[in-house]
């Protein structure tokens, strides 16, 4: 298969149709035609509620759904397919762990360690767990290079730590955290570790056994899949000892008037009718990614991001928020035009067909730590090109020239 950039963009109907410069992949990626067709085919040929019917159509729908669980297990190198739980999104996966594991395994004076760069979905649930269990929520802070220094890991993770929950890649800074090292250190102290792979799995190969992660979560929609499906990986022995998060149909074994026994993994954690079309789309997204291969994806992205870093660094009116070492950086670049509100910048770029995100990126504690309210964020995927970067730079020049007279007036 020939993966020149021209061909890759052609696989994405929205990019073809709208002719935009789409640089908001950290929020959600565009979907290739292969994913869209897989959903269409499901509804045309296989639609039935999995696990519910004895008739052959429902059995086929069940088989399709379960095949994708197996595909995901292989994709992230999980030992067992029942270690893969489907959820609505990364947020629900994290809430499941917080409620089902955190609430039941923490006690007064235990400690939960997260980092200051966490998305609210990996922060607010832990605040609640800490309040209810009277445990303590501690933060690992970043240095001037937007990275978590080793001393911070060693100072914050102690014998009292029971849970470490950390993002693999920051959705604001693009910093790649050394999660393997953090997991190893946390395990020495007896803590369980949750990895938020939402911003890493679109770009880098994940191997849960090599990482030795206790839990790892992500959303499908940031890696070409439809909106509305997330994944939770957990080690089988840990998941087996957890109580269900949501109760209802399909997660039970026997229900009596006053008591219920629960289904085994993975059904125990999948109550109610699932978003089957999104699961089917996630299967097609994984096929698409594997067809290109992570090596190729990284090769393309490294070149474009390197170029973006160089071009943006030339704009003396910008402040950039990213690690200086490009080996330690992926996916997103946050920046501000000094003195101009990010929403104004994003609105000017929008008039030129350039889509970037502006705001606090669901990371208010990080913003406060950096002493700012918000940033502009350009986030990249393998279909982005150097031309997209050039468009961004032209747009920023235009925004700066429009606003500079107000900046100097103060
Ligand atoms: C690092 C990180 N974690 C979690 C999430 C939450 O993802 P979702 O909104 O799909 O639940 C996001 C979304 O931007 C994210 O960037």
């Amino acid at each position: 298969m020939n993966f020149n950039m021209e061909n890759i963009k052609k696989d994405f109907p929205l990019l073809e149709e709208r002719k935009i410069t789409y640089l908001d992949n950290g929020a959600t990626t565009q979907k290739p035609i292969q994913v869209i067709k897989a959903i269409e085919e499901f509804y045309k040929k296989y639609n039935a509620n999995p696990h519910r019917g004895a008739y052959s159509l429902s059995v086929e729908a069940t088989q399709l759904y379960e095949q994708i669980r197996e595909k995901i297990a292989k994709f992230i190198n999980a030992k067992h397919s029942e270690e893969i739980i489907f959820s609505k999104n990364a947020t629900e996966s994290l809430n499941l762990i917080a409620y089902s594991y955190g609430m039941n395994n923490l006690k007064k004076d235990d400690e939960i360690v997260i980092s200051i760069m966490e998305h609210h979905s990996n922060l607010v649930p832990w605040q609640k767990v800490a309040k209810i269990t009277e445990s303590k929520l501690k933060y690992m802070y970043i240095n001037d290079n937007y990275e978590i220094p080793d001393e911070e890991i060693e100072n914050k993770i102690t014998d009292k730590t029971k849970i470490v929950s950390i993002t693999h890649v920051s959705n604001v800074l693009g910093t790649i955290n050394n999660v393997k090292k953090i997991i190893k250190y946390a395990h020495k102290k007896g803590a369980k570790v949750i990895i938020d792979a939402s911003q890493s799995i679109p770009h880098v190969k994940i191997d849960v056994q090599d990482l030795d992660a206790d839990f790892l979560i992500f959303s499908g929609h940031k890696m070409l899949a439809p909106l509305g499906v997330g994944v939770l990986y957990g080690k089988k022995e840990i998941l087996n000892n957890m109580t269900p998060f949501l109760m209802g149909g399909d997660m039970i074994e026997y229900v009596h008037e006053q008591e219920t026994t629960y289904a085994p993994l993975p059904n125990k954690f999948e109550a109610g009718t699932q978003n089957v079309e999104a699961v089917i789309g996630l299967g097609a997204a994984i096929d698409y990614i594997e067809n290109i291969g992570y090596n190729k994806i990284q090769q393309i992205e490294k070149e474009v991001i390197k170029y973006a870093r160089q071009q943006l660094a030339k704009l003396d009116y910008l402040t950039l928020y990213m690690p200086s070492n490009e080996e330690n950086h992926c996916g997103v670049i946050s920046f501000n035009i000094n003195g101009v509100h990010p929403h104004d910048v994003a609105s000017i770029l929008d008039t030129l067909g350039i889509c970037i995100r502006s705001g606090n990126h669901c990371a208010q504690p990080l913003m406060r730590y950096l002493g700012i309210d918000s940033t502009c964020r350009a986030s990249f995927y393998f279909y982005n090109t150097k031309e997209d970067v050039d468009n961004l730079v032209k747009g920023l020049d235009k925004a700066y020239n429009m606003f500079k007279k107000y900046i100097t007036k103060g």
Side-chain angles (χ1 to χ4, degrees), residues 38 40-50 56-58 60-62 64 276 280:
E40 191 185 333
E41 186 180 68
F42 171 72
Y43 280 119
K44 282 184 174 164
K45 295 192 191 159
Y46 302 102
N47 178 45
N49 207 331
S56 47
L57 184 63
S58 173
E60 282 174 49
T62 306
L64 271 182
V276 183
I280 301 293

Side-chain angles (χ1 to χ4, degrees), residues 26 89-91 94 119 121 167 169 171 196 198-199 219 221-222:
N89 48 36
T91 304
L94 287 162
H119 187 278
S121 59
T167 193
V169 169
N171 67 317
D196 177 354
S198 305
Q199 295 290 346
S219 271
H221 69 90
K222 294 183 198 291

